[in-house]
Amino acid sequence: MTSSPVLIHAAAAHVRLLLEGDCSGHDWWHVERVWRMAAALAREEGADLLVVELAALLHDVDDWKLGGDAEGRPRRAAAWLEEQGVPSAVSEHVLEIIRTLSFKGAGVETPMRTLEGRVVQDADRLDAIGAIGIARAFAFGGAKGRLIHDPETAPERHQDFEAYRRKSGPSIHHFYEKLLLVKDRINTAAARRLAEGRHRFLETFLERFFREWDGVE
Ligand code: ADP
Ligand code: NI
């Protein structure tokens, strides 16, 4: 097998090409931030760096939101890992992380079996909250033709992945359906510290958003 730094470099180049044109908040720079954050969390938590970096880099190339397989089989990631001759113990671990990582609705638990999985999930979730999370939520909504807000409809609590996947409400609902729930689902102590600040920023943003909506600010 190629050495780890060469392999990681090749994975980054491959993913950059695949996601470069995305305008739904899943572009290369989302992956680059998750990769950097995951590596920092891995060092702090003592997780295996090769597995964490590969999973972070490949985590969105098969996403259902980007037209990936509805059953969530990470086909492109699997094909690339095989092409590179990555040992099966590593590639199976990476693929398991990619398969189980995603948020699937307020009522659906998404536990991660390994420390490496917990670290990559935290890095991905941190990028869904705070100022960047807000920017991504509206970018996603815009890319899918959703309204910013619709005061005549209410957010939902999705009990299964199917219902979460089908949702088409305004982007402000996504705050109640996912973003505000992220803080309490963070796995590692290192990520929790960052999540708290980002969560507070979501709350400040929403308070101001609704005051402006009502014309009182
Ligand atoms: P996950 O796989 O956990 O959903 P991603 O890295 O794929 O994480 O990011 C999903 C991001 O897409 C959300 O955090 C959010 O910013 C954005 N998004 C906005 N609206 C929706 C929506 N209606 N359904 C799913 N994702 C949305
Ligand atoms: Ni992601």
Side-chain angles (χ1 to χ4, degrees), residues 30 59-60 124:
H30 161 62
H59 85 275
D60 266 341
D124 193 31

Side-chain angles (χ1 to χ4, degrees), residues 7-214:
L7 187 66
I8 295 298
H9 194 81
H14 174 67
V15 174
R16 187 171 184 154
L17 265 179
L18 280 176
L19 298 184
E20 202 134 56
D22 178 88
C23 294
S24 71
H26 296 82
D27 55 290
W28 158 250
W29 295 110
H30 161 62
V31 174
E32 200 261 354
R33 289 189 301 272
V34 172
W35 173 31
R36 261 192 290 132
M37 179 63 74
L41 296 176
R43 287 194 184 94
E44 208 167 326
E45 297 284 331
D48 183 281
L49 208 54
L50 177 64
V51 169
V52 164
E53 289 194 77
L54 284 175
L57 281 165
L58 294 167
H59 85 275
D60 266 341
V61 299
D62 292 289
D63 197 283
W64 59 274
K65 293 188 265 354
L66 308 175
D69 183 323
E71 272 84 60
R73 275 185 296 261
R75 289 197 182 155
R76 287 166 156 192
W80 187 83
L81 290 164
E82 195 175 338
E83 238 171 69
Q84 301 296 315
V86 174
S88 62
V90 173
S91 68
E92 275 163 28
H93 191 175
V94 168
L95 293 170
E96 176 191 328
I97 293 174
I98 297 172
R99 271 197 310 272
T100 49
L101 188 76
S102 263
F103 186 82
K104 297 183 176 67
V108 187
E109 287 193 32
T110 46
M112 301 303 280
R113 191 180 60 82
T114 64
L115 175 62
E116 288 71 26
R118 292 193 280 279
V119 158
V120 180
Q121 187 178 59
D122 279 358
D124 193 31
R125 300 244 164 121
L126 281 173
D127 211 58
I129 59 177
I132 287 182
I134 294 172
R136 291 183 68 221
F138 291 109
F140 184 94
K144 303 282 169 191
R146 312 260 168 88
L147 289 175
I148 292 172
H149 177 38
D150 173 5
E152 291 173 345
T153 63
E156 283 175 58
R157 187 184 155 81
H158 301 100
Q159 293 304 333
D160 58 70
F161 187 30
E162 216 15 68
Y164 178 72
R165 190 162 39 202
R166 277 199 315 267
K167 83 190 182 89
S168 60
S171 296
I172 280 287
H173 288 183
H174 193 59
F175 285 70
Y176 301 93
E177 291 164 348
K178 174 183 176 186
L179 309 193
L180 291 167
L181 313 176
V182 163
K183 175 175 70 73
D184 293 331
R185 295 185 174 215
I186 292 284
N187 306 299
T188 64
R192 199 161 305 123
R193 282 197 304 275
L194 295 172
E196 274 160 17
R198 295 185 187 202
H199 181 87
R200 277 196 300 276
F201 191 76
L202 292 179
E203 291 179 328
T204 306
F205 171 82
L206 286 170
E207 271 168 37
R208 173 133 200 149
F209 181 96
F210 289 114
R211 282 212 300 272
E212 289 184 15
W213 190 276
D214 292 336

